Amino acid sequence: MEFLEWDAVELSGALAAGRLSAVEVMQATLARIEAVNGAVNAVVSLRDADDLLAEARAADAAPRQGWLHGIPMAIKDLAHAKGLPTSQGSPLFAGRIAQQDDIAVARLRAAGALIIGKTNTPEFGLGSHTFNPVHGATHNPYDLDRSAGGSSGGAAAALAARMLCLADGSDMMGSLRNPAGWNNVYGMRPTWGTVPGDPAGDLFLHQLSTLGPMARSPRDLAALRDVKRGADPRLPLSAEWADCATGLTGDLPKQRIGWLGDWDGAFPCAPGIIELSEAALQQMAELGHAVAPMAPPFDADAMWESWTTLRSFAVAASLGAIYDDPARREHLKPAAQWEVARGQGFSATDIQRASSIRSNWFRAAMQAFETVDVLVLPSAQVWPFDVGAVHPTEINGSAMDSYHRWMQVVVPASLIGLPVVNIPAGFDARGLPLGLQLIGKRGSDARLLQLAEDWHRATGLPQAFPPKL
């Protein structure tokens, strides 16, 4: 169906005007999933078709709840959606049914979204390659022999394959950015605290990950971010930032862009990554933006030390009880066991040192933003790799000393909670996609989306180059 190619905002307008029905959209969505999901394996725990069509008929008969009214969506399989399993990609939780919606999922339902199932993710979201023992691997729609990235790999692949027009994601270490880049779509890590998580467990210490939207256009990205955003009184560090979607019409501001490249060699990149990134930046310059190379504003090794300490500390907090139980530990993948063991071994002094480095980087970043509006880095240091691999072990002869070292390029933004919009940057000679991270200062989500929208108007890459499935 032609409308499966549409932006979600356009689809919403057609539903509101009665030019399309929710039943028609649901039928087409289910048909597309049946046609291509077997090869891609992006949508998991799909609900019964008759039940979904009944919900679509009810949506057609009901007053509109919001702009998502009647639009099918799937939820990343780390979040709870009432009545659906939340496996987290782990056999320890396979088949466990959520008893209630997480905050962000409840907001999607309140805006009228019809939740059809889940999207695949790595085990516990660890690693930027979507495979797990419960649902298997998600394949890249642009090359089914390659990874779709992660941890929002199922979401990105479903978007690229036209199984969904919008997707729900989350990001700790590039989980919204790398899969968006590898699937020729948009992904946004909002300013930390914009989209509240679940009010469970510790509410103060582990400020690393955030929920966020994925889409095939910045306009959809902004609209979905606006549905999910907003402080929650149960989460003391959640924040109230303004909506962004209204700022994407008419003329858009020209911006000052600082290109960080490979961070002066600290982030080894596969051949072609830097060249394609710079070609995209040249296009931005031709659109009137001021683009200039920029010296690294902070020490990459110090950032890595801080990040890996705080990340392992956070993983140990979430998975420590499983790790401490010998009968359950064996069900954790090696990367998870390694993270927990590291996290449990740190002293209070180690954590304080990591936090001090983090604070120093934040101060340095704020100085950098005095001369530029946006910092730019590639979304990943390698191209989509063999779907049967676990992770890259080297880049250009540089050995990767951990399962996530090849994603070091996403750490500068993640470590201090900065907003990032991934934009599609183009393709290599093999037809493999790449993305760019547009990084802004805290609270600059709207400005980043305006730059992404300007880029999208000029290129329209997701629409111009769909995968051939």
Side-chain angles (χ1 to χ4, degrees):
M1 293 290 184
E2 179 185 352
F3 56 76
L4 293 181
E5 297 283 344
W6 294 356
D7 288 353
V9 170
E10 183 181 3
L11 185 65
S12 176
L15 286 164
R19 297 193 303 273
L20 275 177
S21 69
V23 168
E24 289 176 290
V25 174
M26 184 64 73
Q27 287 172 332
T29 297
L30 294 175
R32 182 63 178 172
I33 291 171
E34 183 177 4
V36 303
N37 194 52
V40 178
N41 192 34
V43 178
V44 299
S45 303
L46 184 65
R47 294 176 54 206
D48 178 76
D50 289 340
D51 291 343
L52 291 172
L53 288 168
E55 285 190 10
R57 284 191 291 272
D60 282 330
R64 283 180 66 78
Q65 294 176 251
W67 83 269
L68 291 174
H69 192 94
I71 293 180
M73 287 193 68
I75 304 302
K76 184 175 176 179
D77 197 22
L78 297 180
H80 294 302
K82 184 177 180 179
L84 285 169
T86 310
S87 78
Q88 302 183 70
S90 169
L92 292 168
F93 297 103
R96 184 173 295 186
I97 304 300
Q99 300 305 303
Q100 61 184 21
D101 289 335
D102 282 351
I103 294 171
V105 177
R107 290 177 178 180
L108 296 175
R109 286 199 207 266
L114 303 180
I115 308 302
I116 66 170
K118 296 304 224 26
T119 55
N120 204 16
T121 185
E123 183 181 323
F124 297 112
L126 297 176
S128 199
H129 175 30
T130 298
F131 72 98
N132 63 69
V134 179
H135 297 297
T138 296
H139 299 250
N140 193 308
Y142 286 90
D143 184 337
L144 294 173
D145 292 329
R146 295 180 183 266
S147 170
S151 61
S152 305
L159 273 173
R162 276 51 179 177
M163 289 184 269
L164 300 171
C165 63
L166 289 168
D168 159 81
S170 59
D171 188 298
M172 178 186 267
M173 192 176 174
S175 294
L176 280 158
R177 292 165 276 167
N178 179 44
W182 280 5
N183 288 273
N184 190 38
V185 297
Y186 291 87
M188 183 177 192
R189 178 189 170 99
T191 295
W192 198 89
T194 299
V195 180
D198 192 47
D202 178 80
L203 301 178
F204 289 94
L205 286 178
H206 305 298
Q207 303 172 46
L208 297 179
S209 64
T210 178
L211 304 173
M214 304 184 81
R216 293 196 296 267
S217 74
R219 185 172 59 157
D220 285 358
L221 205 64
L224 186 54
R225 175 252 185 215
D226 290 352
V227 168
K228 299 174 79 171
R229 70 125 187 112
D232 185 282
R234 296 168 293 178
L235 290 158
L237 300 180
S238 61
E240 196 65 54
W241 298 100
D243 285 348
C244 291
T246 55
L248 301 187
T249 59
D251 293 335
L252 300 170
K254 300 307 176 186
Q255 304 197 37
R256 302 167 299 167
I257 298 170
W259 166 232
L260 292 166
D262 62 3
W263 208 273
D264 201 21
F267 305 151
C269 292
I273 297 280
I274 296 300
E275 292 79 4
L276 183 57
S277 299
E278 291 180 342
L281 287 166
Q282 177 58 39
Q283 285 183 270
M284 284 192 187
E286 292 167 2
L287 294 174
H289 301 284
V291 180
M294 189 171 183
F298 199 72
D299 182 73
D301 289 338
M303 271 194 292
W304 184 247
E305 176 192 342
S306 175
W307 174 258
T308 54
T309 298
L310 295 173
R311 177 182 166 99
S312 292
F313 177 55
V315 174
S318 63
L319 299 181
I322 297 173
Y323 180 86
D324 292 340
D325 180 349
R328 295 198 293 166
R329 180 188 299 181
E330 65 183 29
H331 295 292
L332 293 175
K333 68 180 183 179
Q337 294 188 37
W338 175 79
E339 289 272 25
V340 174
R342 286 188 82 243
Q344 291 183 341
F346 290 127
S347 67
T349 302
D350 295 328
I351 301 303
Q352 181 59 53
R353 171 176 166 78
S355 187
S356 295
I357 294 171
R358 182 189 206 178
S359 301
N360 289 336
W361 163 224
F362 182 82
R363 283 185 276 267
M366 293 309 99
Q367 285 187 327
F369 284 119
E370 291 177 2
T371 57
V372 298
D373 302 304
V374 181
L375 299 172
V376 176
L377 286 164
S379 295
Q381 292 160 242
V382 299
W383 300 96
F385 54 81
D386 185 344
V387 72
V390 176
H391 61 81
T393 57
E394 63 87 27
I395 303 175
N396 284 349
S398 296
M400 300 291 101
D401 57 6
S402 71
Y403 77 103
H404 51 16
R405 185 70 178 230
W406 61 279
M407 285 299 297
Q408 189 176 356
V409 74
V410 303
V411 167
S414 290
L415 184 59
I416 54 176
L418 299 181
V420 191
V421 173
N422 172 86
I423 61 170
F427 301 81
D428 72 356
R430 299 165 295 180
L432 298 177
L434 180 71
L436 284 179
Q437 300 178 74
L438 308 181
I439 306 168
K441 64 183 178 181
R442 183 170 169 79
S444 68
D445 302 43
R447 290 277 290 182
L448 293 178
L449 285 162
Q450 287 172 338
L451 179 55
E453 172 66 10
D454 197 39
W455 173 252
H456 185 70
R457 292 179 188 180
T459 63
L461 288 170
Q463 292 71 28
F465 299 99
K468 298 182 174 74
L469 289 170

